[in-house]
Amino acid sequence: MAEGTKPAGKFSEFLKKTSTSTFARISRYTVSRLTTLFITVVIGVYLTIMIANMGGYVDTIMRSEIRERITQSVLTNKAYQDMAPETRKKIAEDLILVEEKRLKLDTPVAIRSFNYLTNALRLELGRAQNMTSDNGSRTVRLILLERLPATLLLMGSSQLFLFFSSIYFALSLSRNYGSWLDRLVISLSPTSAAPSWFYGIFLILIFSAVLKLLPFGGMVDAPPPDTKFGYAMSVLKHLILPGASLVVSAFFISIYNWRTFFLIYSSEDYVEMAKAKGLPARDIERQYILRPTLPNIITNFALLLISLWTGAIVTETIFLWPGLGITLYRAVGLFDIPVIVGSTIIFAYLLAITVFLLDFVYALVDPRVKVGA
């Protein structure tokens, strides 16, 4: 009886050692991966801060604008016109110092950049320098959160439709390789070389200026409808043109990419073997084509989701869509570094978390992948 229990004891010991080594491997990988991603985020955010500030040149521009604005304000203020020139000059200089202190221009660029970095890494986004929310708040968090729903509506509806429709049509084309529809998609794929805002301008000219069927821009009619249904219909009407421009600009090239990807897997030997066995075409697509490509599909879908945060900067600006894209465009124009850094750090964190989690997702969907191996 004692001899019979030895194999079972050895097997349990082997399982214990295997699980311990697996846990140690995953732990080492997790620490190493998180450390690498954090360093990457720090470097990326700091470079964003330095680029947004142009190495300190923006400070010079802002000081000149502050001096000119306040000097003109003091000279045109009737309350100061009876004062002596020296007194007015002294008042202007004091106001200039107060404004520079408010914008922290009295702090050296290196120190201020490091403060921006440390605050951003803690998600303490601070207050905007020149921009405000619709409620008049300068809090960067409120400014970004206020514009987020509009961007999620535009980018979410257009990009999700583009993603799933591209995969559906690509699968259909891979079944009918060489057909007239397949050749048509290939011939139209170069149209995606033009950006979405290019198509947006043409759509505005056709459907707004000429046909007068859809609005030129904005998110809702002015004044907005009183009923919820009317408001929703107004938003939908304003959503058509910017959403269509985003879809049209990438539709054919996206189908072409996925079609080529599916064709590569369709030509594998195990697919030919499955066809020879007489398996239904749907089962072959699901088990032998879609399943091996699942990691790539998941990667594209995950990156699509986090790209919703950035919005479509130029397209939103053309259509006056009140989202994160046009907010970032205005922040760049106003040299509002806190808003730029706030948007960047959130996207950087989202990207780092997504890249980290994808490695574990790959291990779940593909048994050939081992985390940290």
Side-chain angles (χ1 to χ4, degrees):
M1 189 70 178
E3 293 179 356
T5 59
K6 287 182 180 181
K10 290 181 179 180
F11 182 70
S12 62
E13 185 179 351
F14 170 75
L15 288 179
K16 186 183 295 184
K17 289 182 179 179
T18 303
S19 61
T20 303
S21 63
T22 302
F23 178 77
R25 186 185 75 243
I26 295 176
S27 299
R28 287 195 302 269
Y29 172 80
T30 301
V31 173
S32 174
R33 190 67 165 161
L34 289 176
T35 303
T36 305
L37 290 173
F38 180 75
I39 293 174
T40 305
V41 168
V42 171
I43 295 174
V45 173
Y46 188 75
L47 289 177
T48 301
I49 295 171
M50 297 305 296
I51 293 172
N53 195 269
M54 297 182 189
Y57 182 67
V58 171
D59 291 358
T60 305
I61 298 175
M62 294 180 66
R63 286 193 182 95
S64 300
E65 291 179 348
I66 292 170
R67 180 168 293 276
E68 182 179 357
R69 173 167 51 84
I70 292 180
T71 301
Q72 290 297 325
S73 176
V74 172
L75 290 176
T76 56
N77 195 327
K78 295 182 179 180
Y80 302 140
Q81 289 181 355
D82 296 333
M83 296 181 179
E86 294 78 7
T87 305
R88 284 187 294 178
K89 184 178 180 180
K90 179 66 168 55
I91 293 174
E93 291 295 334
D94 292 340
L95 292 175
I96 290 170
L97 291 176
V98 171
E99 184 67 9
E100 289 181 352
K101 187 175 182 179
R102 183 185 73 84
L103 297 176
K104 298 181 180 179
L105 294 176
D106 56 336
T107 306
V109 177
I111 298 176
R112 195 164 68 254
S113 299
F114 184 75
N115 291 336
Y116 279 141
L117 177 63
T118 54
N119 291 335
L121 293 175
R122 296 197 301 266
L123 291 180
E124 295 177 3
L125 305 182
R127 294 171 61 83
Q129 295 175 345
N130 300 300
M131 300 181 67
T132 59
S133 65
D134 291 340
N135 296 327
S137 174
R138 288 186 178 271
T139 305
V140 174
R141 178 177 56 84
L142 295 179
I143 293 174
L144 297 178
L145 289 178
E146 185 180 71
R147 303 302 182 186
L148 180 59
T151 291
L152 291 180
L153 175 63
L154 173 60
M155 296 295 292
S157 58
S158 60
Q159 297 305 306
L160 290 176
F161 173 80
L162 176 64
F163 180 80
F164 289 109
S165 62
S166 298
I167 292 179
Y168 175 79
F169 285 114
L171 269 175
S172 177
L173 291 181
S174 66
R175 289 189 225 113
N176 303 281
Y177 174 69
S179 63
W180 69 269
L181 185 60
D182 185 47
R183 294 194 297 270
L184 178 64
V185 170
I186 294 175
S187 62
L188 290 176
S189 58
T191 59
S192 298
S196 58
W197 58 264
F198 180 83
Y199 289 102
I201 293 174
F202 274 95
L203 292 176
I204 290 174
L205 290 175
I206 295 171
F207 293 98
S208 300
V210 178
L211 300 178
K212 302 185 185 302
L213 296 176
L214 295 170
F216 283 86
M219 185 176 173
V220 69
D221 293 334
D226 296 329
T227 63
K228 292 183 178 180
F229 179 78
Y231 190 92
M233 290 297 101
S234 177
V235 171
L236 180 62
K237 181 175 64 176
H238 285 76
L239 178 66
I240 293 175
L241 288 186
S245 66
L246 290 170
V247 172
V248 171
S249 65
F251 186 67
F252 294 106
I253 192 64
S254 181
I255 294 177
Y256 178 74
N257 289 337
W258 284 113
R259 161 212 175 260
T260 305
F261 195 69
F262 291 143
L263 281 176
I264 293 174
Y265 279 86
S266 299
S267 60
E268 294 289 344
D269 294 337
Y270 56 80
V271 176
E272 298 298 331
M273 180 66 70
K275 292 178 180 179
K277 290 180 178 179
L279 292 178
R282 296 291 181 181
D283 292 342
I284 294 175
E285 285 181 355
R286 186 173 60 253
Q287 295 294 331
Y288 298 99
I289 299 177
L290 279 177
R291 188 172 181 180
T293 61
L294 195 56
N296 192 274
I297 294 175
I298 292 174
T299 301
N300 280 268
F301 185 72
L303 296 178
L304 181 149
L305 291 180
I306 63 173
S307 69
L308 302 183
W309 174 262
T310 58
I313 297 177
V314 183
T315 303
E316 288 186 10
T317 304
I318 289 175
F319 286 97
L320 298 177
W321 188 265
L324 290 173
I326 193 173
T327 301
L328 187 58
Y329 176 82
R330 291 172 177 170
V332 172
L334 295 171
F335 305 113
D336 208 320
I337 297 176
V339 177
I340 299 173
V341 174
S343 178
T344 302
I345 186 63
I346 292 176
F347 178 76
Y349 274 141
L350 289 175
L351 182 59
I353 293 171
T354 302
V355 171
F356 174 73
L357 293 179
L358 279 176
D359 289 334
F360 293 92
V361 174
Y362 295 153
L364 294 176
V365 300
D366 191 342
R368 298 171 298 178
V369 177
K370 291 185 178 181
V371 176

